[in-house]
Amino acid sequence: MDRGKFSTSYGCAVDKVVTLSHPAGVGGKSTAVKRLYIKTYGCQMNVYDSARMADVLAPHGYVPVDSPDGADMVILNTCHIREKAAEKVYSEIGRLRPLKEDKAARGERMILAVGGCVGQAEGEEIIVRADCVDMVFGPQTYHRLPELIVRATRATGEKVVDTEFPTEDKFDHLPEEARPQGASAFLSVQEGCDKFCTFCVVPYTRGAEQSRPVAAVTEEATRLVAAGSSEITLLGQNVNAYHGVGTDTAEWGLGRLLHHLAENVPGLKRLRYTTSHPRDMDDALIAAHRDIPQLMPYLHLPVQSGSDRILTAMNRRHDADTYRRTIDRLREALPEIALSSDFIVGFPGETDREFAETIRLVTDIGYAQAYSFKYSPRPGTPAAVESQVGETVKDERLATLQQLLRAQQTAFNRSKEGAVMPVLFDRPGRYEGQIVGRSPYMQSVHVTAPERIIGSVVDCRIIGVHNNSLRGEILTATTESGENAATVERACA
Ligand code: 5AD
Ligand code: SF4
């Protein structure tokens, strides 16, 4: 697939739709409140992008709401990475159509937009197939949302497709964050990918690798912490390929960026980064795990397969042994580091023996948790035209791998029973009086405590272990707000 196929910008007037009045204030700033519903699919980068879309639209009177019912604008921020992504989007559009029609019957307008990677990959096709969609845009053009809305709401009934990879930097045009992200925040530092793994759409939908300057990242991190975030996860499709301009104008790698943030953003208690490529785990980044106390002892480092032949066919640019050595080096630097990975089973041509090599690698390494997927042909990617492994075989391999990964996750969780660890509480639990946080190793930890502890890092003893989470009790005498957490807990019980 040619990345250029996706770099065209269209401003097409496909079909006329019912043309309603221009919504007040779009294009210029307005205080008239308009309801904005964004549905986010896929990865953390999309979660971050959705928050930034809301930031872009906030000065134009758009306020996020939890339901598409009655919304003035609905954005589907889509993901194209795996199976049936486009079909899921068309089904969702089908569910939204009656809501849009209801609103039109009341003489009001719902602007329906498809953004994200399906928008980028499908472009105009979305409007051809679903004429109730007003706008299609990709991940690199959402800073232009206000002007796209103006075009989409013209009396001419223009449909708008903007899937360009613009020369201007999206981040230079985004406003400051309008709303706090909470205890744990995402910060995009790198976008796009030049690796071209043969199964993956990301290089086509997100474009070429780009890194934000250290100063811009530091400013955003400082604002996030000032707004109440204690933990920041640096995001990038290939985050450890980060090569942003440093404060000395030299190019800095991710290890140096992490040091800089840890030292220059007071109040930043925890740092994480995702997603990384094994080829880009350089010495400075490995040493950062040893040397930066704020950098959490957890790393998501996808390997995809344990077979060298499959890794070559995937164009992964590393073999199984190099991956194993990287893990050894990480464990030498920080013995407690917990590891996570992505796996694809049933890549075209994968034999039983090659799949067994994946099982062996998983057995040897021992993961704290992992994600595993059946290979799904992505249109336009090189592997999609190779001869495919049958569905039944894929199902069997996935079940075998997931059983092993689940056992490893349970074993890892059990190894923490009785341990005392700092937990960052970031959300209320499902049950009355319960709050939930993250251990340093990314495990969910549930405790009984009042909601005012949310936002604090508090020492907990792990008193119960489930497959996917831990149960804890609070130990620390004082929370960061100076409150006595033990008293707080008793007061609640
Ligand atoms: N089929 C199955 N899994 C895929 N992934 C990416 N593309 C595909 C595909 N075509 C998985 C990889 C990647 C994760 C984000 O999604 O494991 O690391
Ligand atoms: Fe896709 Fe990751 Fe490979 Fe880039 S490195 S092509 S994002 S799987």
Side-chain angles (χ1 to χ4, degrees):
M1 177 160 58
D2 171 12
R3 184 142 65 184
K5 172 180 181 291
F6 292 101
S7 61
T8 353
S9 168
Y10 311 91
C12 57
V14 180
D15 254 336
K16 302 280 180 221
V17 286
V18 189
T19 309
L20 298 161
S21 58
H22 190 302
V26 177
K29 298 196 180 185
S30 161
T31 50
V33 171
K34 291 184 278 290
R35 281 160 294 188
L36 169 67
Y37 175 71
I38 305 182
K39 180 160 181 170
T40 308
Y41 300 76
C43 64
Q44 292 105 326
M45 183 71 92
N46 268 13
V47 175
Y48 175 86
D49 286 343
S50 291
R52 303 314 317 269
M53 287 175 201
D55 294 338
V56 171
L57 292 174
H60 301 274
Y62 284 91
V63 175
V65 292
D66 293 335
S67 154
D69 267 318
D72 299 289
M73 169 128 199
V74 172
I75 300 175
L76 303 179
N77 188 14
T78 60
C79 168
H80 203 240
I81 197 114
R82 282 181 299 273
E83 275 180 291
K84 302 191 182 97
E87 293 318 309
K88 283 185 202 153
V89 174
Y90 287 114
S91 308
E92 186 62 32
I93 293 170
R95 283 190 287 276
L96 291 167
R97 182 190 287 270
L99 299 183
K100 185 173 165 121
E101 287 167 355
D102 284 353
K103 220 167 146 62
R106 294 197 299 273
E108 295 170 1
R109 173 145 193 196
M110 173 194 281
I111 304 168
L112 181 50
V114 178
C117 292
V118 175
Q120 187 70 39
E122 298 267 306
E124 191 179 344
E125 176 67 16
I126 295 178
I127 286 171
V128 173
R129 276 186 64 180
D131 66 359
C132 62
V133 173
D134 303 289
M135 280 165 48
V136 177
F137 58 94
Q140 302 308 342
T141 49
Y142 63 77
H143 57 294
R144 297 177 178 167
L145 268 169
E147 67 184 76
L148 301 184
I149 292 174
V150 169
R151 285 170 52 200
T153 51
R154 275 186 195 138
T156 50
E158 184 186 353
K159 300 281 188 174
V160 179
V161 179
D162 188 350
T163 50
E164 204 183 338
F165 289 118
T167 45
E168 83 263 16
D169 184 349
K170 169 176 80 190
F171 291 101
D172 290 341
H173 296 267
L174 289 175
E176 287 186 6
E177 314 72 42
R179 289 168 310 134
Q181 285 195 45
S184 183
F186 293 129
L187 198 173
S188 173
V189 300
Q190 179 278 341
E191 263 201 270
C193 184
D194 293 342
K195 292 282 191 294
F196 289 92
C197 298
T198 56
F199 53 82
C200 185
V201 289
V202 166
Y204 312 100
T205 58
R206 287 272 173 178
E209 213 177 276
Q210 277 182 331
S211 298
R212 293 176 69 190
V214 170
V217 172
T218 311
E219 280 166 27
E220 190 168 328
T222 305
R223 288 197 301 271
L224 290 169
V225 172
S229 301
S230 309
E231 172 176 278
I232 293 181
T233 302
L234 306 183
L235 297 179
Q237 268 81 38
N238 190 178
V239 71
N240 59 341
Y242 177 85
H243 57 275
V245 178
T247 51
D248 54 1
T249 71
E251 211 167 76
W252 289 16
L254 186 64
R256 196 153 176 207
L257 173 68
L258 287 162
H259 271 286
H260 184 79
L261 294 174
E263 285 152 24
N264 292 284
V265 183
L268 176 55
K269 296 198 179 71
R270 290 183 164 193
L271 274 164
R272 302 180 186 275
Y273 60 94
T274 199
T275 287
S276 297
H277 191 286
R279 265 286 284 252
D280 298 316
M281 279 319 293
D282 61 20
D283 290 343
L285 187 52
I286 292 175
H289 279 277
R290 182 192 60 211
D291 298 334
I292 303 179
Q294 293 97 321
L295 186 55
M296 290 293 99
Y298 173 89
L299 178 64
H300 181 64
L301 193 62
V303 63
Q304 314 295 356
S305 168
S307 150
D308 287 344
R309 194 192 72 81
I310 293 293
L311 288 169
T312 304
M314 288 177 164
N315 190 31
R316 287 290 291 176
R317 305 160 193 236
H318 64 85
D319 58 20
D321 249 13
T322 322
Y323 182 85
R324 284 171 203 264
R325 279 204 305 278
T326 302
I327 300 295
D328 289 345
R329 282 158 59 219
L330 278 157
R331 284 179 164 156
E332 272 161 34
L334 189 72
E336 62 160 326
I337 196 162
L339 296 162
S340 161
S341 185
D342 290 338
F343 297 92
I344 295 178
V345 302
F347 184 80
E350 185 190 61
T351 63
D352 284 343
R353 184 176 291 193
E354 286 160 348
F355 172 64
E357 288 176 314
T358 300
I359 295 292
R360 204 173 60 239
L361 181 129
V362 173
T363 309
D364 291 349
I365 289 194
Y367 289 96
Q369 70 124 50
Y371 304 89
S372 46
F373 313 100
K374 288 190 287 183
Y375 171 73
S376 110
R378 304 286 74 214
T381 57
V385 294
E386 300 296 322
S387 89
Q388 301 295 315
V389 171
E391 261 332 277
T392 322
V393 173
K394 283 192 209 171
D395 285 336
E396 284 165 8
R397 288 181 189 164
L398 188 66
T400 307
L401 176 59
Q402 290 190 337
Q403 191 180 19
L404 175 59
L405 290 169
R406 252 195 316 274
Q408 291 192 340
Q409 180 169 357
T410 306
F412 179 76
N413 285 348
R414 289 221 178 100
S415 74
K416 301 298 174 201
E417 187 146 23
V420 172
M421 55 175 82
V423 176
L424 170 61
F425 289 101
D426 59 354
R427 60 195 187 278
R430 244 189 287 163
Y431 306 108
E432 181 79 32
Q434 191 186 55
I435 59 168
V436 189
R438 290 253 179 230
S439 80
Y441 316 100
M442 280 299 272
Q443 299 144 300
S444 289
V445 182
H446 301 250
V447 301
T448 301
E451 280 199 15
R452 58 181 177 277
I453 288 191
I454 292 174
S456 307
V457 179
V458 183
D459 274 348
C460 291
R461 186 189 310 284
I462 303 308
I463 54 172
V465 173
H466 311 284
N467 288 343
N468 294 319
S469 64
L470 306 176
R471 196 153 50 83
E473 65 181 9
I474 286 179
L475 286 186
T476 320
T478 49
T479 67
E480 271 127 29
S481 61
E483 198 168 22
N484 185 313
T487 315
V488 171
E489 191 183 28
R490 276 198 303 277
C492 162

